Amino acid sequence: QSVLTQPASVSGSPGQSITISCTGTRTDVGGYDFVSWYQQSSGKAPKLIIFDVSSRPSGISNRFSGSKSGNTASLTISGLQAEDEADYYCGSYTSRSPSYVFGSGTKVTVL
Amino acid sequence: QITLKESGPTLVKPTQTLTLTCAFSGFSLSTRGVAMGWIRQPPGKALQWLALIYGDDVKRYSPFLNDRLIITKDTSKDLVVLTMTNVDPVDTATYYCVHLSEASEHFDYWGQGTLVTVSS
């Protein structure tokens, strides 16, 4: 039950920038600055890359950046590299229940 | 350094009860504000949050699975246990143990995951 909507796939050439959107509602993405992004390489566990909309954990490249406008959050990967090829999921706190929701996931392909 | 490791059966029959255990280290789950939980991912599909337990024993559950889940903790052994009743093939997934950030609402540490298949 993916509550947040993401594009199924996004692709780009090495060095380019790509942006992944994550659309929710005012009860999750739009209502709180608790949007996070996770990178999942093939066969691996998800890894936190952005939290609180735009903050990066220690050790995460500054090529990853996050933002939010209204009910839509975005993840931008600049200077795309082959190692960025993975699935990306957004997540958010939601006042429903309350609980946590995730996006449908976006497959990033480096051409 | 926080580490999480899941364990449990790899194969469960429909209608049975699934019990998963997460062994953790690097923090105490007896402190208010600290929380751990479970997230699952069916093969080829998206992540789904299941449950969360706090150090003060407050529990939260996915509204989609609320009546089938029980989460408990054993602070003396640093374990968190998830029980899911009446499993169905749609419950086939990789189940991840996660640590909720103490400063905000995101999952900062994840276990490696354990694949559970529900099949007769």
Side-chain angles (χ1 to χ4, degrees):
Chain A
Q1 304 88 347
S2 296
V3 178
L4 308 180
T5 302
Q6 297 180 233
S9 62
V10 174
S11 62
S13 300
Q16 286 186 331
S17 292
I18 62 170
T19 297
I20 302 169
S21 61
C22 169
T23 302
T25 68
R26 61 181 175 83
T27 61
D28 39 65
V29 173
Y32 306 92
D33 285 338
F34 293 141
V35 176
S36 50
W37 289 90
Y38 304 87
Q39 177 192 60
Q40 186 177 34
S41 299
S42 181
K44 302 288 188 179
K47 174 185 176 182
L48 177 70
I49 57 173
I50 293 287
F51 66 94
D52 293 353
V53 176
S54 59
S55 296
R56 280 187 307 276
S58 174
I60 298 301
S61 170
N62 59 10
R63 297 186 300 104
F64 294 94
S65 61
S67 62
K68 189 184 84 167
S69 177
N71 295 336
T72 299
S74 298
L75 172 71
T76 298
I77 308 175
S78 58
L80 198 62
Q81 299 179 0
E83 66 196 48
D84 299 330
E85 198 161 274
D87 293 325
Y88 292 80
Y89 293 91
C90 61
S92 176
Y93 173 84
T94 172
S95 58
R96 296 187 298 272
S97 295
S99 61
Y100 302 86
V101 291
F102 288 97
S104 45
T106 298
K107 182 176 183 60
V108 169
T109 301
V110 181
L111 302 172
Chain B
Q1 179 189 0
I2 291 177
T3 64
L4 311 170
K5 187 169 185 179
E6 308 87 347
S7 62
T10 57
L11 181 64
V12 183
K13 296 185 187 306
T15 75
Q16 288 187 336
T17 295
L18 169 65
T19 299
L20 295 171
T21 301
C22 177
F24 62 89
S25 64
F27 65 98
S28 172
L29 195 49
S30 57
T31 304
R32 186 168 182 250
V34 179
M36 285 184 60
W38 293 87
I39 290 169
R40 73 178 181 181
Q41 183 175 36
K45 296 188 177 181
L47 302 169
Q48 181 184 16
W49 174 74
L50 299 177
L52 200 67
I53 186 167
Y54 288 82
D56 57 2
D57 216 34
V58 169
K59 303 167 187 179
R60 302 197 192 282
Y61 296 101
S62 164
F64 302 105
L65 294 163
N66 182 36
D67 57 346
R68 297 176 51 212
L69 298 176
I70 298 175
I71 188 170
T72 60
K73 61 183 176 74
D74 184 336
T75 53
S76 66
K77 297 181 181 178
D78 288 345
L79 297 174
V80 171
V81 177
L82 180 73
T83 301
M84 178 183 291
T85 60
N86 192 26
V87 298
D88 181 271
V90 299
D91 296 314
T92 293
T94 295
Y95 287 75
Y96 294 101
C97 175
V98 294
H99 175 271
L100 184 72
S101 167
E102 295 175 40
S104 186
E105 304 287 354
H106 58 270
F107 303 102
D108 51 2
Y109 293 93
W110 296 62
Q112 62 188 23
T114 185
L115 175 62
V116 178
T117 300
V118 180
S119 174
S120 55

